[in-house]
Amino acid sequence: MPSLLIADDHPLFRAALRQAASDAVSGMQVREAESLEGVLAALDAAPDTDLILLDLHMPGNHGLAGLAAIRAQHPGVAVIVVSANDDPRVVRRALDHGAAGYLPKSSGLNELHEAIRCVMACEQWLPASLRASVTRAQSSLHDSELAARLASLSPQQFRVLALVAEGLLNKQIADRLDVQERTVKAHLSAIFERLGVRNRTQASVVLRELELSDPARQVV
């Protein structure tokens, strides 16, 4: 039975996506999460999840960092980014960081159905209105290299990196992950080497480079 995780903090939008997804694929098993922490917990509980519809700006997820976390910790799960941000450069970055599709929140039901079916068939999907502009938006070499470096981290190393970015000390990280402090230090050494950085501050900057402004919260 195909399985879908809807990751969005708006209950009404989740309900609409649930109904649309059920209409798109017969027998689809649908679960929901309203924060990035909830998404990762749901994937840990059901790692065989086929597809995620991911909001870029749900709690705990500020831009592409959540996408990077999912791709690092659960690389077998396909992700369609669902966002109010339809800037072709942002779409290009999302694809470079491992998204299988990108769905603007202004999309209609037919586009949502098509996106789910295409990605479930292991194809990449973009709405027709964005395909040409995203094709013209060339990938950034820096972004491509950043995606590759993040993808080289193990799931546990990515968790350590995320906690470093939150400002936690080694002992706090060890307590949070239920490991010994020397294990955290070993992970940090590997993280620094794989990311090409020298210290915790530089490692934190790597994740901050994935932050995006939320158009829904911009003051006009």
Side-chain angles (χ1 to χ4, degrees):
M1 178 183 297
S3 57
L4 169 70
L5 177 62
I6 298 173
D8 194 283
D9 60 328
H10 294 92
L12 290 177
F13 194 69
R14 288 201 309 271
L17 288 176
R18 172 183 282 272
Q19 182 60 54
S22 299
D23 292 342
V25 179
S26 177
M28 175 81 81
Q29 179 183 2
V30 182
R31 292 172 297 127
E32 300 178 10
E34 59 184 19
S35 68
L36 180 59
E37 182 179 0
V39 169
L40 296 175
L43 291 176
D44 287 341
D48 58 345
T49 299
D50 295 301
L51 175 64
I52 302 173
L53 300 181
L54 177 69
D55 179 13
L56 285 183
H57 297 286
M58 64 193 307
N61 183 25
H62 306 288
L64 299 171
L67 173 62
I70 292 167
R71 299 301 301 150
Q73 298 180 38
H74 299 276
V77 180
V79 180
I80 296 177
V81 169
V82 182
S83 176
N85 193 334
D86 59 1
D87 184 333
R89 294 167 298 180
V90 171
V91 179
R92 180 73 268 163
R93 292 190 71 195
L95 296 177
D96 289 343
H97 280 277
Y102 199 100
L103 187 74
K105 286 193 172 181
S106 57
S107 301
L109 285 177
N110 288 339
E111 287 184 313
L112 176 57
H113 292 168
E114 183 183 350
I116 292 174
R117 289 169 183 153
C118 282
V119 172
M120 291 292 287
C122 300
E123 300 175 9
Q124 189 179 82
W125 189 89
L126 289 175
S129 60
L130 285 176
R131 289 169 193 164
S133 57
V134 171
T135 298
R136 290 193 298 269
Q138 296 182 351
S139 298
S140 160
L141 178 60
H142 173 73
D143 227 30
S144 298
E145 291 176 346
L146 173 58
R149 291 199 301 271
L150 289 172
S152 73
L153 299 179
S154 71
Q156 190 75 327
Q157 287 166 355
F158 196 97
R159 294 185 187 105
V160 171
L161 174 61
L163 294 174
V164 166
E166 289 181 20
L168 272 65
L169 301 176
N170 287 359
K171 186 178 187 309
Q172 294 171 311
I173 295 173
D175 291 342
R176 180 79 66 88
L177 298 179
D178 194 24
V179 298
Q180 295 186 348
E181 191 170 349
R182 67 171 179 267
T183 301
V184 174
K185 292 179 180 178
H187 282 316
L188 283 174
S189 295
I191 290 167
F192 294 165
E193 180 179 355
R194 294 185 181 187
L195 296 184
V197 299
R198 296 180 179 179
N199 54 48
R200 302 167 69 94
T201 300
Q202 291 178 347
S204 299
V205 169
V206 169
L207 277 190
R208 285 200 292 272
E209 290 181 20
L210 298 177
E211 294 180 354
L212 298 170
S213 60
D214 184 355
R217 290 178 169 82
Q218 291 179 358
V219 178
V220 179

